[in-house]
Amino acid sequence: MLDQPLLQVRGLKKTFPIDGGRRLVAVDGVDLEIKAGETLALVGESGSGKSTVARCIVRLVEPTGGDVVIGGDSILGLQPSRLVGVYRRIQMVFQDPNASLNPRMSVRQVLEEPLHLHLYLLRSERDARVRELIEMVGLTPAHLDRYPHELSGGQRQRVGIARAIAVSPEIVILDEPTSSLDVSIRGQILDLLLELQERLHLAYLFITHDLQVVQHVAHRVAVMYLGGIVETGPTKELFADPRHPYTRALLSAAPVARWGVKRTRTRLSGEISSAIDPPDACRLAGRCPFARPSCSDARPPLTDIGGGRAVACPVVIERIPT
Amino acid sequence: MSDALLEIEDYSGAFVGETGELTPVLHGVSYRLKTGMMTAVVGESGSGKSLVALSILGIQPPAFERSSGRMLFRGSDLLELDERAMQGIRGAEISMVFQDARAALNPVFTVGRQLADVWQLQHGGSRRAAMTQAIEALRRVSIPEPERRALQYPHQFSGGMAQRAMIAMASLICEPSLLILDEPTTGLDVTIQSDIMELIVELSRTRGLTTCLITHDLGVVAETCQEVVVMNAGRVVETGSAEAIFTRPSDGYTQRLLSASQLVEAA
C-alpha cells in the first residue's frame, strides 16, 4: 500500500465535437501516475493537450473516457456535488494570475473562500490560517487587504499558490505557473514551490513548455505530442538520453543561455498536424526523420524500456542494444 | 567614419499622464548598432527596450515625450526628420518585425496582397510583378505551397507561418539596411522558435543586414548575436560583445539576469 500512487490517470480521453460531425481529439489515451511528494512534469508544445489533461483530472472539463483515481478513489463517476471532497485533496494553480484571481476580492477574501468551503473554522482560527498562508508564500499580512491590481505579477502568483494550499491538499496541479513571469521572478516562484513541496510533502503535476523549469523541479517527465504521451522517464536520464524522435527534436531545439554551447538539432519537417479526426497511426509519422511505412499502420503504444522509462516508438526501441 | 549604422545618444523621456504629470521611463539611453552585426537588446518587462526601438521608427506611443537625445542613422538624426522624410526611411531603410505577427498583419487582406502592396510601394512596377515577388519571398522563407498560401488570410496562418511571412515582408520585400525584431519568437513553440531564429540569422548574413534583436530570452541571444545591450528600468546597464556579456558580465543586474536564465547547471 505504501507504494500506491497518489494520483493515477488511466486511458484518459477527451474529444470535442466540432462542426460537420467531426471530432477534435485533444487527449487520446493518457496514463499517468504520481506518488506522494513527487513532481511529474508534463511537457509539450501548444496543442499537445497537456492543459486539457490537467483540466480533465479536476473535472473542469468532463473527460470523454478513462479514469482518474486519487488515493484509491475514482473521481470520474462522482456526482458534481461530491467533488467538494476531492478538491480538499487536489488543487490547481493557473498560468495567468490576472485571470484566475477575482479583481473584486481582496487577498484576504481570496484566501478565506476555500476555508469557508472546506473547513469549519472559528473566526479566530480562520484569521490565523490566512496569516499563516500569506507568510508561507513569502508575503506579509499587510498584503491581505490589497486587491489583485495592487500586486505585481509575481505577488499575484504567490496568492494563487497560497489559495491552492489553503486546505492542505496532497496534490497541486501547476498549469504553466511561471510562463507569464520575467525570468528573475520565475526563479523565485520555483524556489517557493520547491520549499512548499518539502515542507508540506506535496505532489505536483507540473505542466510547462519550459524545459529549463522541468530540469530544475521535476523528478519525472512525461512528454506529450498531439494528445498522447510519447515518452516518460526520470528527468535526468530523459534529458541526458532522449529516445523518442519528438523528445529529441524538442530538447535539441531549446536554446541554452551560455556562451559557446553548440546544439545538434533533430529536425522535424513542417508543423504540428491536425488533431481533428486523426488516423490510427503514429501522430509524428508525417514529420519524423526516422519514419518508415509501418508507422502509419497503427498508433504505437508506450512501451517499457527499463529504468522507469517508456517510449512510444518501435523504430527507436529496435535500435536499443539489449 | 563610424562603423555604426545607428547610434542612439542620451535618449531620455517620460510618459505624460492625463493630468500632465510626467513619469520618466528612459534615462539617457545610448547604444550603437554596428554595421552588418546582430545586436541584442535584452531586458525584462518595463526595461524600455521596446520603447527605444519603436522610437527609432517614430512609432512610439503618443503619451511618450522625449526630453533629450539623438538617433543618428547614417549620420542624420532620425528624431529631427519630418513625417514625410520618416516615411521614406520606414520600410525602405529600417523595417521592423513585431511579436504577434498575426496581429501585425491586416486581417482583411490576403497575405500575398499585403506583401505585393509593400513591394509596389517600395519598388513600383506592375501588380503582377509585385505578386510574383510576394510569392518568391514566401518561398524564400520556406512557406510550403507559396502560391496557395499567398491567397490566404492571416487567420489561416499558424503563428510560426505568420511570423515567416512578416520576416519575408520586413527583410525581402522591403530590402532595408536595418532590421529590428521585437520579440520575434516569443509566444511560439520552441521547435518553431529555433527554425525562425535560424531563418533570421541566415537572411541577415546572406543579405548583409544590420539586425537589432529585442528579447528577454538570453538563450536565443547566446546562439545568434555578436553584440549585446542590457537594459534595466529605462537605463542601459551594460554593453559589450556577446562573448564578454556571457562569460564576464560586469554589471550586477546583468549577472543576476544571467544566473536567473541559467536554472540548470552547465553540463
Short mmCIF file of all heavy atoms in Angstrom, two decimals, chain A residues 173-219:
data_model
loop_
_atom_site.label_atom_id
_atom_site.label_comp_id
_atom_site.label_asym_id
_atom_site.label_seq_id
_atom_site.Cartn_x
_atom_site.Cartn_y
_atom_site.Cartn_z
N ILE A 173 -1.91 20.77 -8.97
CA ILE A 173 -1.65 20.82 -10.40
C ILE A 173 -1.22 22.24 -10.72
O ILE A 173 -1.93 23.20 -10.41
CB ILE A 173 -2.91 20.44 -11.20
CG1 ILE A 173 -3.30 19.00 -10.88
CG2 ILE A 173 -2.66 20.63 -12.69
CD1 ILE A 173 -4.51 18.51 -11.63
N LEU A 174 -0.04 22.38 -11.31
CA LEU A 174 0.51 23.69 -11.66
C LEU A 174 0.48 23.81 -13.17
O LEU A 174 1.23 23.13 -13.86
CB LEU A 174 1.94 23.79 -11.12
CG LEU A 174 2.10 23.56 -9.62
CD1 LEU A 174 3.49 23.04 -9.28
CD2 LEU A 174 1.81 24.83 -8.85
N ASP A 175 -0.40 24.66 -13.68
CA ASP A 175 -0.54 24.78 -15.14
C ASP A 175 0.24 26.01 -15.61
O ASP A 175 -0.25 27.12 -15.52
CB ASP A 175 -2.02 24.89 -15.52
CG ASP A 175 -2.23 24.81 -17.02
OD1 ASP A 175 -1.23 24.63 -17.76
OD2 ASP A 175 -3.38 24.91 -17.47
N GLU A 176 1.45 25.80 -16.08
CA GLU A 176 2.34 26.88 -16.55
C GLU A 176 2.43 28.02 -15.53
O GLU A 176 2.20 29.19 -15.87
CB GLU A 176 1.82 27.45 -17.89
CG GLU A 176 1.68 26.43 -19.00
CD GLU A 176 2.93 26.31 -19.86
OE1 GLU A 176 3.98 26.84 -19.45
OE2 GLU A 176 2.86 25.68 -20.91
N PRO A 177 2.79 27.73 -14.28
CA PRO A 177 2.71 28.77 -13.25
C PRO A 177 3.71 29.90 -13.41
O PRO A 177 3.56 30.95 -12.80
CB PRO A 177 2.98 28.00 -11.95
CG PRO A 177 3.82 26.85 -12.39
CD PRO A 177 3.31 26.47 -13.75
N THR A 178 4.76 29.69 -14.23
CA THR A 178 5.78 30.74 -14.35
C THR A 178 5.86 31.32 -15.76
O THR A 178 6.70 32.16 -16.04
CB THR A 178 7.18 30.20 -13.98
OG1 THR A 178 7.48 29.08 -14.80
CG2 THR A 178 7.23 29.77 -12.53
N SER A 179 4.95 30.88 -16.64
CA SER A 179 5.10 31.27 -18.05
C SER A 179 4.84 32.74 -18.31
O SER A 179 5.32 33.28 -19.29
CB SER A 179 4.18 30.44 -18.93
OG SER A 179 4.51 29.09 -18.80
N SER A 180 4.06 33.40 -17.45
CA SER A 180 3.79 34.81 -17.72
C SER A 180 4.71 35.73 -16.91
O SER A 180 4.49 36.92 -16.85
CB SER A 180 2.32 35.12 -17.40
OG SER A 180 2.07 34.94 -16.03
N LEU A 181 5.74 35.15 -16.31
CA LEU A 181 6.60 35.95 -15.42
C LEU A 181 7.98 36.19 -16.03
O LEU A 181 8.47 35.38 -16.81
CB LEU A 181 6.77 35.22 -14.08
CG LEU A 181 5.48 34.84 -13.35
CD1 LEU A 181 5.81 33.99 -12.13
CD2 LEU A 181 4.70 36.07 -12.94
N ASP A 182 8.62 37.30 -15.66
CA ASP A 182 10.01 37.56 -16.07
C ASP A 182 10.93 36.51 -15.45
O ASP A 182 10.62 35.93 -14.42
CB ASP A 182 10.43 38.95 -15.58
CG ASP A 182 10.00 40.04 -16.54
OD1 ASP A 182 9.97 39.79 -17.76
OD2 ASP A 182 9.68 41.15 -16.08
N VAL A 183 12.11 36.32 -16.08
CA VAL A 183 12.99 35.25 -15.60
C VAL A 183 13.42 35.41 -14.15
O VAL A 183 13.55 34.42 -13.43
CB VAL A 183 14.27 35.05 -16.47
CG1 VAL A 183 13.96 34.31 -17.73
CG2 VAL A 183 14.98 36.35 -16.72
N SER A 184 13.65 36.64 -13.70
CA SER A 184 14.12 36.79 -12.33
C SER A 184 13.02 36.39 -11.34
O SER A 184 13.30 35.84 -10.28
CB SER A 184 14.59 38.23 -12.07
OG SER A 184 13.56 39.13 -12.36
N ILE A 185 11.77 36.64 -11.70
CA ILE A 185 10.64 36.27 -10.85
C ILE A 185 10.39 34.75 -10.95
O ILE A 185 10.05 34.10 -9.96
CB ILE A 185 9.36 37.03 -11.27
CG1 ILE A 185 9.63 38.53 -11.42
CG2 ILE A 185 8.23 36.79 -10.28
CD1 ILE A 185 10.09 39.20 -10.17
N ARG A 186 10.60 34.21 -12.15
CA ARG A 186 10.42 32.77 -12.36
C ARG A 186 11.21 31.97 -11.33
O ARG A 186 10.69 31.05 -10.69
CB ARG A 186 10.88 32.40 -13.78
CG ARG A 186 10.88 30.92 -14.07
CD ARG A 186 11.42 30.59 -15.46
NE ARG A 186 12.88 30.74 -15.54
CZ ARG A 186 13.62 30.35 -16.56
NH1 ARG A 186 13.05 29.79 -17.61
NH2 ARG A 186 14.93 30.51 -16.56
N GLY A 187 12.48 32.34 -11.14
CA GLY A 187 13.34 31.62 -10.20
C GLY A 187 12.79 31.68 -8.79
O GLY A 187 12.80 30.69 -8.06
N GLN A 188 12.28 32.85 -8.39
CA GLN A 188 11.74 32.99 -7.03
C GLN A 188 10.51 32.12 -6.81
O GLN A 188 10.35 31.50 -5.76
CB GLN A 188 11.37 34.45 -6.76
CG GLN A 188 12.56 35.39 -6.77
CD GLN A 188 12.14 36.85 -6.78
OE1 GLN A 188 10.98 37.17 -6.51
NE2 GLN A 188 13.06 37.74 -7.08
N ILE A 189 9.64 32.08 -7.81
CA ILE A 189 8.42 31.28 -7.67
C ILE A 189 8.76 29.78 -7.64
O ILE A 189 8.20 29.02 -6.86
CB ILE A 189 7.43 31.60 -8.82
CG1 ILE A 189 6.95 33.06 -8.74
CG2 ILE A 189 6.25 30.64 -8.84
CD1 ILE A 189 6.06 33.38 -7.56
N LEU A 190 9.74 29.38 -8.45
CA LEU A 190 10.14 27.97 -8.43
C LEU A 190 10.74 27.59 -7.08
O LEU A 190 10.46 26.52 -6.54
CB LEU A 190 11.14 27.68 -9.55
CG LEU A 190 10.58 27.79 -10.97
CD1 LEU A 190 11.70 27.59 -11.99
CD2 LEU A 190 9.45 26.80 -11.21
N ASP A 191 11.56 28.49 -6.53
CA ASP A 191 12.14 28.22 -5.21
C ASP A 191 11.04 28.06 -4.16
O ASP A 191 11.10 27.19 -3.30
CB ASP A 191 13.11 29.34 -4.80
CG ASP A 191 14.41 29.28 -5.60
OD1 ASP A 191 14.66 28.24 -6.24
OD2 ASP A 191 15.15 30.27 -5.60
N LEU A 192 10.03 28.94 -4.25
CA LEU A 192 8.91 28.85 -3.31
C LEU A 192 8.20 27.50 -3.45
O LEU A 192 7.89 26.84 -2.44
CB LEU A 192 7.92 30.00 -3.57
CG LEU A 192 6.61 29.94 -2.81
CD1 LEU A 192 6.84 30.11 -1.31
CD2 LEU A 192 5.62 31.00 -3.32
N LEU A 193 7.95 27.08 -4.68
CA LEU A 193 7.25 25.82 -4.90
C LEU A 193 8.05 24.63 -4.36
O LEU A 193 7.50 23.72 -3.75
CB LEU A 193 6.95 25.62 -6.39
CG LEU A 193 5.88 26.55 -6.97
CD1 LEU A 193 5.85 26.48 -8.48
CD2 LEU A 193 4.50 26.21 -6.38
N LEU A 194 9.38 24.68 -4.53
CA LEU A 194 10.22 23.59 -4.02
C LEU A 194 10.19 23.56 -2.49
O LEU A 194 10.12 22.50 -1.88
CB LEU A 194 11.66 23.75 -4.53
CG LEU A 194 11.86 23.47 -6.03
CD1 LEU A 194 13.26 23.86 -6.47
CD2 LEU A 194 11.59 22.00 -6.34
N GLU A 195 10.24 24.76 -1.90
CA GLU A 195 10.23 24.86 -0.44
C GLU A 195 8.90 24.32 0.12
O GLU A 195 8.88 23.56 1.09
CB GLU A 195 10.44 26.32 -0.06
CG GLU A 195 10.49 26.60 1.41
CD GLU A 195 10.21 28.09 1.68
OE1 GLU A 195 10.74 28.94 0.93
OE2 GLU A 195 9.43 28.37 2.61
N LEU A 196 7.79 24.72 -0.51
CA LEU A 196 6.47 24.26 -0.03
C LEU A 196 6.32 22.75 -0.19
O LEU A 196 5.73 22.08 0.64
CB LEU A 196 5.35 24.98 -0.79
CG LEU A 196 5.19 26.47 -0.48
CD1 LEU A 196 4.18 27.10 -1.42
CD2 LEU A 196 4.76 26.68 0.98
N GLN A 197 6.88 22.24 -1.29
CA GLN A 197 6.78 20.79 -1.50
C GLN A 197 7.46 20.02 -0.38
O GLN A 197 6.91 19.06 0.15
CB GLN A 197 7.44 20.42 -2.83
CG GLN A 197 7.45 18.92 -3.09
CD GLN A 197 7.81 18.59 -4.52
OE1 GLN A 197 8.82 19.06 -5.06
NE2 GLN A 197 6.97 17.81 -5.16
N GLU A 198 8.65 20.50 0.01
CA GLU A 198 9.38 19.80 1.06
C GLU A 198 8.66 19.93 2.40
O GLU A 198 8.50 18.95 3.13
CB GLU A 198 10.79 20.40 1.15
CG GLU A 198 11.70 19.59 2.03
CD GLU A 198 13.14 19.99 1.81
OE1 GLU A 198 13.62 19.87 0.67
OE2 GLU A 198 13.78 20.45 2.77
N ARG A 199 8.18 21.15 2.66
CA ARG A 199 7.54 21.41 3.96
C ARG A 199 6.21 20.67 4.10
O ARG A 199 5.88 20.18 5.17
CB ARG A 199 7.32 22.92 4.04
CG ARG A 199 6.84 23.43 5.34
CD ARG A 199 7.09 24.93 5.38
NE ARG A 199 6.21 25.56 6.33
CZ ARG A 199 6.08 26.89 6.45
NH1 ARG A 199 6.75 27.69 5.63
NH2 ARG A 199 5.28 27.40 7.34
N LEU A 200 5.44 20.61 3.02
CA LEU A 200 4.08 20.06 3.11
C LEU A 200 3.95 18.69 2.46
O LEU A 200 2.86 18.14 2.39
CB LEU A 200 3.08 21.03 2.45
CG LEU A 200 3.12 22.47 2.97
CD1 LEU A 200 2.27 23.38 2.10
CD2 LEU A 200 2.64 22.52 4.42
N HIS A 201 5.06 18.17 1.95
CA HIS A 201 5.07 16.87 1.28
C HIS A 201 4.03 16.82 0.15
O HIS A 201 3.23 15.88 0.04
CB HIS A 201 4.81 15.74 2.30
CG HIS A 201 5.28 14.41 1.79
ND1 HIS A 201 6.55 14.17 1.35
CD2 HIS A 201 4.61 13.23 1.63
CE1 HIS A 201 6.66 12.91 0.96
NE2 HIS A 201 5.50 12.32 1.12
N LEU A 202 4.05 17.86 -0.70
CA LEU A 202 3.08 17.95 -1.78
C LEU A 202 3.54 17.15 -2.99
O LEU A 202 4.72 17.03 -3.25
CB LEU A 202 2.92 19.41 -2.21
CG LEU A 202 2.27 20.38 -1.22
CD1 LEU A 202 2.50 21.81 -1.67
CD2 LEU A 202 0.78 20.08 -1.13
N ALA A 203 2.57 16.62 -3.71
CA ALA A 203 2.85 16.07 -5.04
C ALA A 203 2.45 17.12 -6.06
O ALA A 203 1.42 17.77 -5.89
CB ALA A 203 2.05 14.79 -5.26
N TYR A 204 3.29 17.32 -7.07
CA TYR A 204 2.99 18.30 -8.11
C TYR A 204 2.83 17.62 -9.46
O TYR A 204 3.66 16.79 -9.85
CB TYR A 204 4.12 19.31 -8.27
CG TYR A 204 4.31 20.31 -7.15
CD1 TYR A 204 5.59 20.77 -6.84
CD2 TYR A 204 3.23 20.83 -6.44
CE1 TYR A 204 5.79 21.71 -5.84
CE2 TYR A 204 3.43 21.77 -5.43
CZ TYR A 204 4.72 22.21 -5.14
OH TYR A 204 4.93 23.14 -4.15
N LEU A 205 1.77 18.00 -10.17
CA LEU A 205 1.73 17.74 -11.61
C LEU A 205 2.05 19.09 -12.25
O LEU A 205 1.25 20.02 -12.17
CB LEU A 205 0.35 17.25 -12.06
CG LEU A 205 0.20 17.06 -13.58
CD1 LEU A 205 1.20 16.05 -14.13
CD2 LEU A 205 -1.22 16.64 -13.94
N PHE A 206 3.26 19.20 -12.82
CA PHE A 206 3.78 20.48 -13.27
C PHE A 206 3.69 20.55 -14.79
O PHE A 206 4.43 19.85 -15.48
CB PHE A 206 5.24 20.61 -12.80
CG PHE A 206 5.72 22.03 -12.71
CD1 PHE A 206 6.16 22.54 -11.49
CD2 PHE A 206 5.75 22.85 -13.82
CE1 PHE A 206 6.61 23.85 -11.39
CE2 PHE A 206 6.19 24.16 -13.72
CZ PHE A 206 6.62 24.66 -12.51
N ILE A 207 2.75 21.36 -15.28
CA ILE A 207 2.57 21.46 -16.72
C ILE A 207 3.33 22.65 -17.24
O ILE A 207 3.18 23.76 -16.75
CB ILE A 207 1.07 21.57 -17.03
CG1 ILE A 207 0.44 20.23 -16.70
CG2 ILE A 207 0.82 21.94 -18.48
CD1 ILE A 207 -0.99 20.29 -16.46
N THR A 208 4.21 22.42 -18.21
CA THR A 208 5.04 23.52 -18.70
C THR A 208 5.59 23.19 -20.07
O THR A 208 5.63 22.04 -20.49
CB THR A 208 6.21 23.79 -17.72
OG1 THR A 208 6.96 24.90 -18.20
CG2 THR A 208 7.13 22.59 -17.60
N HIS A 209 5.99 24.25 -20.77
CA HIS A 209 6.73 24.03 -22.01
C HIS A 209 8.18 24.46 -21.83
O HIS A 209 8.98 24.39 -22.75
CB HIS A 209 6.08 24.81 -23.16
CG HIS A 209 6.18 26.29 -22.98
ND1 HIS A 209 5.29 27.02 -22.22
CD2 HIS A 209 7.11 27.15 -23.40
CE1 HIS A 209 5.67 28.28 -22.22
NE2 HIS A 209 6.77 28.40 -22.91
N ASP A 210 8.52 24.90 -20.61
CA ASP A 210 9.84 25.44 -20.34
C ASP A 210 10.75 24.32 -19.84
O ASP A 210 10.65 23.86 -18.71
CB ASP A 210 9.72 26.55 -19.28
CG ASP A 210 11.02 27.27 -19.03
OD1 ASP A 210 12.09 26.68 -19.24
OD2 ASP A 210 10.97 28.44 -18.60
N LEU A 211 11.66 23.88 -20.70
CA LEU A 211 12.47 22.70 -20.38
C LEU A 211 13.48 22.97 -19.27
O LEU A 211 13.87 22.06 -18.54
CB LEU A 211 13.18 22.20 -21.64
CG LEU A 211 12.22 21.76 -22.75
CD1 LEU A 211 12.95 21.56 -24.05
CD2 LEU A 211 11.48 20.50 -22.34
N GLN A 212 13.88 24.23 -19.13
CA GLN A 212 14.78 24.56 -18.01
C GLN A 212 14.06 24.35 -16.69
O GLN A 212 14.64 23.84 -15.72
CB GLN A 212 15.18 26.03 -18.09
CG GLN A 212 16.22 26.31 -19.11
CD GLN A 212 17.15 27.40 -18.58
OE1 GLN A 212 17.77 27.26 -17.53
NE2 GLN A 212 17.24 28.48 -19.31
N VAL A 213 12.79 24.77 -16.65
CA VAL A 213 12.00 24.62 -15.43
C VAL A 213 11.85 23.13 -15.10
O VAL A 213 11.99 22.72 -13.95
CB VAL A 213 10.62 25.29 -15.61
CG1 VAL A 213 9.67 24.89 -14.49
CG2 VAL A 213 10.77 26.81 -15.66
N VAL A 214 11.61 22.32 -16.10
CA VAL A 214 11.46 20.88 -15.90
C VAL A 214 12.69 20.31 -15.22
O VAL A 214 12.61 19.60 -14.21
CB VAL A 214 11.23 20.17 -17.25
CG1 VAL A 214 11.23 18.66 -17.06
CG2 VAL A 214 9.94 20.64 -17.89
N GLN A 215 13.86 20.66 -15.75
CA GLN A 215 15.10 20.10 -15.19
C GLN A 215 15.33 20.58 -13.77
O GLN A 215 15.95 19.90 -12.97
CB GLN A 215 16.29 20.50 -16.06
CG GLN A 215 16.29 19.82 -17.40
CD GLN A 215 17.52 20.19 -18.19
OE1 GLN A 215 18.58 19.61 -18.01
NE2 GLN A 215 17.38 21.16 -19.06
N HIS A 216 14.82 21.76 -13.48
CA HIS A 216 15.04 22.34 -12.16
C HIS A 216 14.14 21.72 -11.10
O HIS A 216 14.55 21.57 -9.95
CB HIS A 216 14.77 23.86 -12.26
CG HIS A 216 15.21 24.64 -11.08
ND1 HIS A 216 16.50 24.62 -10.60
CD2 HIS A 216 14.54 25.49 -10.26
CE1 HIS A 216 16.59 25.41 -9.55
NE2 HIS A 216 15.42 25.94 -9.32
N VAL A 217 12.91 21.36 -11.46
CA VAL A 217 11.96 20.97 -10.41
C VAL A 217 11.44 19.52 -10.47
O VAL A 217 10.94 19.03 -9.47
CB VAL A 217 10.71 21.90 -10.41
CG1 VAL A 217 11.11 23.35 -10.19
CG2 VAL A 217 9.88 21.75 -11.67
N ALA A 218 11.53 18.86 -11.64
CA ALA A 218 10.78 17.60 -11.78
C ALA A 218 11.61 16.37 -11.43
O ALA A 218 12.80 16.32 -11.73
CB ALA A 218 10.24 17.48 -13.19
N HIS A 219 10.97 15.40 -10.80
CA HIS A 219 11.60 14.10 -10.60
C HIS A 219 11.44 13.25 -11.85
O HIS A 219 12.35 12.54 -12.26
CB HIS A 219 10.97 13.36 -9.41
CG HIS A 219 11.05 14.15 -8.14
ND1 HIS A 219 9.97 14.77 -7.57
CD2 HIS A 219 12.12 14.45 -7.36
CE1 HIS A 219 10.35 15.39 -6.46
NE2 HIS A 219 11.64 15.23 -6.31
#
